[in-house]
């Protein structure tokens, strides 16, 4: 049996591809965010990462355990013998081929891996607020990464639901992430508006067009207040992958050739670099097969030092550090017209200047896909840009100027608002949970 308190606890849970957050709305619609310690300071977003490491018991037996969030990253960086660090798990929910993975000789289903993170977040929130949590309003993208059909979408939701059940939630409801962000924006309004929300995360870019405001709330929401949603399964992770492909992989020999029977051929097969683009796949490259390919490539390559650097990246498992360097470049280019990509390690000291224009040319395809999702939403709902009162942009990738530009060119800078980039979805989910509990 649930106590009345448990039944009425409005919990919003945003399990993000890169960052997760949890919020609780009180009876007075005041929202409190769960906070997590990170290097001595409190933060309200929890990195969605999982780290498995092996240790020896006092009897000398090898055992493995896992850590999540900031603790996972700290442990990973501190230990010499690296375990397995995994991230962006949400992006695999639609994949029927990725059922799970083996870590230190044990198989884990994807739902179990995700539930490890959800369970820690839940425990943390329970401790912080001193209340038992059995129910949550959970965010979902409009379109999951890789989902092509309605069945793929349902499959993804079912797996996410299973992960929440494994983490101890007895019941969850789902709400579209951009709709949740709209609740956060709405809480700042003193009049009704027709708004377009754009939420750009690590995995997905999601849009909703809806009417919100105090009058809408007072008269009660109607289905027609939501004019439509659209989404595309790419965002910040896809931008990072482009930086790797265009900047990092060439430094590691992706354009290099090797001599083979008087012909010049690519020194290293392209699929090896494809694994580099998603850094948490890098650990899959530490196999004898890959070692053999790289050893023989180094001997035949016209630029052996580049293959040498690739070998060192793989052997020293520097995927995380490489990815950090990529992120720093991307963040700097959100602020500046020019920045320098810097990476030291694997016998390299890379310093490569990059202009924002260059970066924007690398992500043209992604930007076009985002534009098309926005235009499709406007067309299908029959709304002209001039009818939209405000555009609210949120999520970490909304900091990318080329992403903002898509909206500035359609709606003008004056109509664009932003904010609470990493917490607006959880905050709005808590408000959404409170509303649905009030309605019973
Ligand atoms: N200043 C910045 N400039 C560019 N990108 C940024 C910046 N800050 C964060 N990001 C990117 O934002 C993304 C994370 O954003 P966010 O936390 O909103 O995603 P998420 O909610 O975890 O993902 P999703 O909503 O897709 O599940 C990462 O790809 C990160 O690199
Ligand atoms: Mg998000």
């Amino acid at each position: 049996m649930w106590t009345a308190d448990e039944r009425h606890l409005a919990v919003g849970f945003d399990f993000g591809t890169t960052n997760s957050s949890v919020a609780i709305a009180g009876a007075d619609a005041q929202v409190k965010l769960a906070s997590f310690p990170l290097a001595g300071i409190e933060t309200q977003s929890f990195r969605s990462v999982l780290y498995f490491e092996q240790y020896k018991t006092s009897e000398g037996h090898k055992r493995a355990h896992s850590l999540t969030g900031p603790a996972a990253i700290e442990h990973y960086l501190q230990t010499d013998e690296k375990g397995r660090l995994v991230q962006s798990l949400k992006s695999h929910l639609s994949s029927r081929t990725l059922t799970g993975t083996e870590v230190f000789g044990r198989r884990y289903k994807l739902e179990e891996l995700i539930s490890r993170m959800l369970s820690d977040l839940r425990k943390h929130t329970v401790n912080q607020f001193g209340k038992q949590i059995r129910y949550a309003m959970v965010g979902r993208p409009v379109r999951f990464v890789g989902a092509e059909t309605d069945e793929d979408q349902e499959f993804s939701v079912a797996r996410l639901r299973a992960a929440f059940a494994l983490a101890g939630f007895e019941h969850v409801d789902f709400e579209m992430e951009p709709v949740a962000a709209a609740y956060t924006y709405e809480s700042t309004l003193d009049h009704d508006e027709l708004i377009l929300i754009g939420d750009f995360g690590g995995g997905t870019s999601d849009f909703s067009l809806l009417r919100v405001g105090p009058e809408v709330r007072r008269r009660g929401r109607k289905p027609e207040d939501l004019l439509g949603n659209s989404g595309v399964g790419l965002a910040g992770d896809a931008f990072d992958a482009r930086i790797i492909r265009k900047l990092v992989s060439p430094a590691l020999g992706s354009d290099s050739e090797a001599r083979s029977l008087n012909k010049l051929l690519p020194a290293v097969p392209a699929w090896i670099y494809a694994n580099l683009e998603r850094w948490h796949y890098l650990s899959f490259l530490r196999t004898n097969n890959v070692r053999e390919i790289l050893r023989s490539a180094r001997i035949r390559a016209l630029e052996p030092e580049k293959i040498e650097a690739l070998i060192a990246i793989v052997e020293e498992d520097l995927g995380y550090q490489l990815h950090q360097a990529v992120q720093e470049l991307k963040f700097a280019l959100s602020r500046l017209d020019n920045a320098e990509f810097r990476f030291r390690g694997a016998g390299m000291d890379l310093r490569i200047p990059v202009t924002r224009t260059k970066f924007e040319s690398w992500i043209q395809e992604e930007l076009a896909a985002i534009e098309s999702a926005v235009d499709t939403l406007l067309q299908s709902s029959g709304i002209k840009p001039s009818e939209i009162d405000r555009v609210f942009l949120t999520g970490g990738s909304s900091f990318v100027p080329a992403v903002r530009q898509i909206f500035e060119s359609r709606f003008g800078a004056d109509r664009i608002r932003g904010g609470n980039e990493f917490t607006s979805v959880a905050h709005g989910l808590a408000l959404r949970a409170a509303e649905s509990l009030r309605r019973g």
Side-chain angles (χ1 to χ4, degrees):
M1 280 297 284
W2 294 20
T3 65
D5 201 28
E6 283 163 19
R7 211 171 13 244
H8 295 291
L9 197 62
V11 179
F13 204 116
D14 175 22
F15 166 58
T17 311
T18 315
N19 299 297
S20 296
S21 18
V22 187
I24 293 192
D28 50 0
Q30 282 295 323
V31 177
K32 292 192 184 120
L33 283 150
S35 52
F36 316 96
L38 175 66
I41 39 172
E42 292 287 310
T43 128
Q44 292 162 334
S45 67
F46 183 93
R47 282 292 301 274
S48 311
V49 294
L50 182 57
Y51 179 57
F52 287 91
E53 67 183 2
Q54 259 184 333
Y55 64 97
K56 269 208 181 114
T57 62
S58 47
E59 293 89 46
H61 299 302
K62 271 196 173 171
R63 295 265 189 280
H65 71 158
S66 59
L67 298 128
T68 60
I73 295 172
E74 270 166 33
H75 271 247
Y76 168 78
L77 292 175
Q78 277 162 12
T79 45
D80 289 333
E81 201 176 316
K82 301 292 184 217
R84 273 277 295 281
L85 188 64
V86 281
Q87 84 152 14
S88 299
L89 283 168
K90 188 180 172 187
S91 295
H92 300 294
L93 280 165
S94 76
S95 165
R96 282 157 217 264
T97 46
L98 198 135
T99 51
T101 186
E102 196 178 298
V103 188
F104 300 128
R106 208 200 121 182
R107 245 202 111 64
Y108 295 87
K109 282 168 69 178
L110 179 68
E111 294 86 327
E112 281 179 85
L113 298 173
I114 292 176
S115 86
R116 272 288 294 118
M117 275 185 274
L118 303 180
S119 160
D120 280 3
L121 276 156
R122 176 171 164 271
K123 280 189 207 137
H124 194 94
T125 313
V126 166
N127 286 343
Q128 182 177 337
F129 294 101
K131 293 183 193 272
Q132 203 35 254
I133 296 174
R134 304 183 196 219
Y135 166 80
M137 182 67 74
V138 175
R140 56 155 290 185
V142 174
R143 179 170 295 278
F144 284 85
V145 173
E148 282 165 14
T149 61
D150 288 349
E151 288 78 54
D152 291 347
Q153 295 269 73
E154 281 158 27
F155 180 70
S156 308
V157 171
R159 276 172 121 182
L160 192 52
R161 192 185 291 283
F164 273 87
L166 286 171
F169 289 83
E170 288 173 23
H171 182 64
V172 294
D173 285 313
F174 288 97
E175 180 56 274
M176 298 286 178
E177 287 157 14
V179 171
Y183 276 73
T184 299
Y185 174 73
E186 182 191 56
S187 66
T188 66
L189 289 181
D190 60 4
H191 61 282
D192 288 0
E193 285 182 355
L194 175 62
I195 58 166
L196 171 64
I197 303 285
D199 174 23
F200 302 90
T204 59
S205 300
D206 297 292
F207 311 97
S208 293
L209 189 57
L210 62 177
R211 208 171 296 282
V212 294
E215 186 51 32
V216 169
R217 254 197 332 258
R218 201 195 50 75
R219 62 132 155 94
R221 291 187 207 277
K222 298 179 187 163
E224 56 271 28
D225 291 331
L226 177 62
L227 286 89
N229 301 305
S230 74
V232 45
L234 56 88
D237 282 354
F239 299 163
D240 296 347
R242 289 285 176 196
I243 297 178
I244 300 265
R245 181 177 305 178
K246 301 286 186 177
L247 189 78
V248 178
S249 291
L252 300 173
S254 63
D255 297 335
S256 298
E257 296 183 308
R259 199 168 292 285
S260 166
L261 300 173
N262 289 332
K263 272 191 300 190
L264 284 176
L265 295 172
V268 174
W271 63 264
I272 295 200
Y273 296 100
N275 275 293
L276 213 60
E277 286 172 23
R278 304 285 161 156
W279 67 267
H280 50 296
Y281 289 178
L282 188 90
S283 47
F284 298 130
L285 291 179
R286 270 192 297 171
T287 65
N288 289 337
N289 174 33
V290 171
R291 282 195 182 103
E292 192 41 53
I293 294 173
L294 295 182
R295 248 199 310 267
S296 107
R298 181 181 48 191
I299 298 166
R300 294 176 295 105
L302 304 185
E303 298 173 299
E305 68 290 350
K306 290 188 176 174
I307 315 300
E308 186 72 51
L310 175 61
I311 293 173
I313 294 267
V314 173
E315 290 303 330
E316 294 170 38
D317 204 5
L318 296 177
Y320 179 79
Q321 288 81 344
L322 203 57
H323 188 258
Q324 282 299 105
V326 165
Q327 297 267 307
E328 270 159 37
L329 173 72
K330 185 174 72 168
F331 295 0
L333 290 172
S334 291
R335 286 179 283 114
L336 309 163
D337 290 334
N338 294 286
E340 195 177 51
F341 173 75
R342 288 186 187 186
F343 178 75
R344 260 182 98 157
M348 296 188 293
D349 188 1
L350 295 177
R351 285 163 180 264
I352 311 174
V354 182
T355 63
R356 185 189 284 170
T357 317
K358 191 96 210 147
F359 168 58
E360 289 174 354
S361 75
W362 295 342
I363 59 169
Q364 270 313 307
E365 256 178 61
E366 287 73 14
L367 294 171
I370 290 171
E371 283 192 84
S372 149
V374 175
D375 292 337
T376 307
L377 175 57
L378 293 174
Q379 276 153 19
S380 65
S381 51
I383 293 289
K384 290 195 282 296
S386 59
E387 294 174 72
I388 291 173
D389 297 308
R390 290 269 180 261
V391 176
F392 180 66
L393 302 181
T394 193
S397 296
S398 72
F399 286 118
V400 174
V403 167
R404 306 190 78 80
Q405 183 54 40
I406 292 174
F407 297 88
E408 285 172 14
S409 68
R410 282 166 180 71
F411 305 98
D414 287 354
R415 271 189 283 166
I416 297 175
R417 297 287 179 276
N420 301 322
E421 279 76 12
F422 299 103
T423 53
S424 65
V425 172
H427 182 281
L429 286 167
L431 291 173
R432 173 76 182 78
E435 190 175 272
S436 96
L437 292 170
R438 263 199 310 277
R439 269 195 260 128

